[in-house]
Structure formats: C-alpha cells, structure tokens
Amino acid sequence: MRFSGAVLAGGRSSRFGQDKARFVYRGRALLEWVLLSLEEADERFVVAKRVYPEFGVPVYADLVEAGPLGGLYTALRRAAAPWVAVAACDLPHLRREYWAFLLSWAYDRPVIPLDEQGRLQPLAGLYPTALASSLEAALYRGARSLKGFLREVGYREIPWEHLVPFGSSLLLNANRPEDLGSM
C-alpha cells in the first residue's frame, strides 16, 4: 500500500531545553531516527517551523497553526499518497516493521496505537489523506485537540499487546534528554 511519511517537529522543545529534532541519540539526531523508520514510504517530509536542510527531505510550515492538529492537517494536505504515517520527532524507537504492521490494519479510518498504559498515541499513527477536509472543518470550528478529533471521526485502536514484539521502548516519547538516558 502506498503511503507518505510525515514527521512533526513543530514544537518549541521547552521541556527538552534544546531542539529535540537535532538532539543526538546513539549517534543520530532524533529526527533522523524517525525518518529512518519511514524509509519504506513513497515520500518523506517534515512539518516544522524551523528549517532542517541536513536531513535531505522537504520541510513544510503549518498551513494552520494549531499545534499537533495543525501539523496533522499540513501532513494530510502535503502528502501525495492515500495514507500518511505521522510521527513526532521524539520517537526514536519506531521501526519500519511497525509502520508495515499499522498498514496491515489500514482500511478507512486512522490507525492509532495504545501505549502500555492504554493511552492513545496519535503521533505514532497512520491516517488516510481523505480526512483532510473533515480536519479542515474541525480546525475552522476551533478544534485544537487531536484526540478529540479522533473521537469525532473514529479510528482503529491497536492494543499494546499487539505491539510488544516491536520492543518495550517502541513508543518512548522523549520529553527531556534524561528520558533517553537509560535506553
């Protein structure tokens, strides 16, 4: 199945204390780890306010500034493929096999994993580009919650038990450098 890969790197990294995307972890920038997980995509790009020429992929600014929801909207509008794998730049343990697994669940709705605690992880999900119009309407109604939007449109939930084979740190979200320290 054809899909685009979009990495969201538009946050301020305030808790992190420096640009997360460029933070070097195990010899590579966090953004590079996420881009590597998306190597099988038909195209890859970054949605960010900053410029990242060193990663060799297009960088697009938000079409609508609305946090992660605006980043998702930009990804859906910029994508050439019918599905978009959307990942935050601070998820260095995502892998190609993970995205292939999510694609096997793709039909008509977003495919969203749950972490070990059963929480939705929408910034490690798969979205049909057909949602762009619904998302645009939600944004212009004032929506700002990605999880709220997902509840509105519906999604396929992937329980953590199905993700265990990909490793316990798969959905590690690095909010601070020390979050990566023991890995």
Side-chain angles (χ1 to χ4, degrees), residues 69 137-145:
L69 205 56
L139 285 166
Y140 286 106
R141 283 193 317 267
R144 293 297 180 260
S145 166

PDB file of all heavy atoms in Angstrom, residues 69 137-145:
ATOM      1  N   LEU A  69      -2.572  19.212  15.874  1.00  0.00           N
ATOM      2  CA  LEU A  69      -3.701  19.118  14.940  1.00  0.00           C
ATOM      3  C   LEU A  69      -3.377  19.859  13.639  1.00  0.00           C
ATOM      4  O   LEU A  69      -3.666  19.368  12.545  1.00  0.00           O
ATOM      5  CB  LEU A  69      -4.957  19.690  15.592  1.00  0.00           C
ATOM      6  CG  LEU A  69      -6.302  19.199  15.095  1.00  0.00           C
ATOM      7  CD1 LEU A  69      -6.429  17.694  15.182  1.00  0.00           C
ATOM      8  CD2 LEU A  69      -7.422  19.855  15.883  1.00  0.00           C
ATOM      9  N   ALA A 137     -12.445  21.375   8.445  1.00  0.00           N
ATOM     10  CA  ALA A 137     -13.701  21.871   9.017  1.00  0.00           C
ATOM     11  C   ALA A 137     -13.612  21.944  10.538  1.00  0.00           C
ATOM     12  O   ALA A 137     -14.057  22.922  11.152  1.00  0.00           O
ATOM     13  CB  ALA A 137     -14.861  20.971   8.586  1.00  0.00           C
ATOM     14  N   ALA A 138     -13.008  20.934  11.150  1.00  0.00           N
ATOM     15  CA  ALA A 138     -12.850  20.930  12.612  1.00  0.00           C
ATOM     16  C   ALA A 138     -11.966  22.083  13.065  1.00  0.00           C
ATOM     17  O   ALA A 138     -12.267  22.763  14.053  1.00  0.00           O
ATOM     18  CB  ALA A 138     -12.276  19.595  13.068  1.00  0.00           C
ATOM     19  N   LEU A 139     -10.891  22.340  12.339  1.00  0.00           N
ATOM     20  CA  LEU A 139      -9.987  23.443  12.692  1.00  0.00           C
ATOM     21  C   LEU A 139     -10.706  24.785  12.612  1.00  0.00           C
ATOM     22  O   LEU A 139     -10.557  25.631  13.492  1.00  0.00           O
ATOM     23  CB  LEU A 139      -8.760  23.450  11.782  1.00  0.00           C
ATOM     24  CG  LEU A 139      -7.719  22.376  12.075  1.00  0.00           C
ATOM     25  CD1 LEU A 139      -6.738  22.257  10.924  1.00  0.00           C
ATOM     26  CD2 LEU A 139      -7.003  22.672  13.380  1.00  0.00           C
ATOM     27  N   TYR A 140     -11.505  24.973  11.588  1.00  0.00           N
ATOM     28  CA  TYR A 140     -12.207  26.238  11.441  1.00  0.00           C
ATOM     29  C   TYR A 140     -13.373  26.387  12.411  1.00  0.00           C
ATOM     30  O   TYR A 140     -13.840  27.492  12.646  1.00  0.00           O
ATOM     31  CB  TYR A 140     -12.607  26.475   9.982  1.00  0.00           C
ATOM     32  CG  TYR A 140     -11.375  26.842   9.181  1.00  0.00           C
ATOM     33  CD1 TYR A 140     -10.802  25.934   8.308  1.00  0.00           C
ATOM     34  CD2 TYR A 140     -10.758  28.073   9.368  1.00  0.00           C
ATOM     35  CE1 TYR A 140      -9.644  26.263   7.617  1.00  0.00           C
ATOM     36  CE2 TYR A 140      -9.599  28.400   8.681  1.00  0.00           C
ATOM     37  CZ  TYR A 140      -9.045  27.496   7.804  1.00  0.00           C
ATOM     38  OH  TYR A 140      -7.895  27.813   7.139  1.00  0.00           O
ATOM     39  N   ARG A 141     -13.784  25.272  13.029  1.00  0.00           N
ATOM     40  CA  ARG A 141     -14.758  25.340  14.126  1.00  0.00           C
ATOM     41  C   ARG A 141     -14.065  25.637  15.452  1.00  0.00           C
ATOM     42  O   ARG A 141     -14.699  25.774  16.474  1.00  0.00           O
ATOM     43  CB  ARG A 141     -15.504  24.010  14.270  1.00  0.00           C
ATOM     44  CG  ARG A 141     -16.583  23.758  13.249  1.00  0.00           C
ATOM     45  CD  ARG A 141     -17.473  22.575  13.667  1.00  0.00           C
ATOM     46  NE  ARG A 141     -16.756  21.428  14.197  1.00  0.00           N
ATOM     47  CZ  ARG A 141     -16.360  20.379  13.471  1.00  0.00           C
ATOM     48  NH1 ARG A 141     -16.607  20.324  12.176  1.00  0.00           N
ATOM     49  NH2 ARG A 141     -15.733  19.371  14.049  1.00  0.00           N
ATOM     50  N   GLY A 142     -12.732  25.639  15.423  1.00  0.00           N
ATOM     51  CA  GLY A 142     -11.972  25.936  16.634  1.00  0.00           C
ATOM     52  C   GLY A 142     -11.392  24.731  17.338  1.00  0.00           C
ATOM     53  O   GLY A 142     -10.844  24.857  18.438  1.00  0.00           O
ATOM     54  N   ALA A 143     -11.459  23.550  16.740  1.00  0.00           N
ATOM     55  CA  ALA A 143     -10.900  22.353  17.366  1.00  0.00           C
ATOM     56  C   ALA A 143      -9.391  22.508  17.551  1.00  0.00           C
ATOM     57  O   ALA A 143      -8.713  23.061  16.695  1.00  0.00           O
ATOM     58  CB  ALA A 143     -11.185  21.126  16.494  1.00  0.00           C
ATOM     59  N   ARG A 144      -8.886  22.022  18.680  1.00  0.00           N
ATOM     60  CA  ARG A 144      -7.453  22.070  18.940  1.00  0.00           C
ATOM     61  C   ARG A 144      -6.936  20.765  19.538  1.00  0.00           C
ATOM     62  O   ARG A 144      -5.764  20.620  19.799  1.00  0.00           O
ATOM     63  CB  ARG A 144      -7.100  23.235  19.877  1.00  0.00           C
ATOM     64  CG  ARG A 144      -7.321  24.606  19.252  1.00  0.00           C
ATOM     65  CD  ARG A 144      -6.398  24.800  18.049  1.00  0.00           C
ATOM     66  NE  ARG A 144      -6.555  26.090  17.401  1.00  0.00           N
ATOM     67  CZ  ARG A 144      -7.254  26.309  16.302  1.00  0.00           C
ATOM     68  NH1 ARG A 144      -7.916  25.327  15.726  1.00  0.00           N
ATOM     69  NH2 ARG A 144      -7.310  27.500  15.759  1.00  0.00           N
ATOM     70  N   SER A 145      -7.826  19.807  19.753  1.00  0.00           N
ATOM     71  CA  SER A 145      -7.450  18.537  20.375  1.00  0.00           C
ATOM     72  C   SER A 145      -7.398  17.429  19.332  1.00  0.00           C
ATOM     73  O   SER A 145      -8.410  17.115  18.690  1.00  0.00           O
ATOM     74  CB  SER A 145      -8.464  18.169  21.456  1.00  0.00           C
ATOM     75  OG  SER A 145      -8.312  16.819  21.846  1.00  0.00           O
TER      76      SER A 145
END
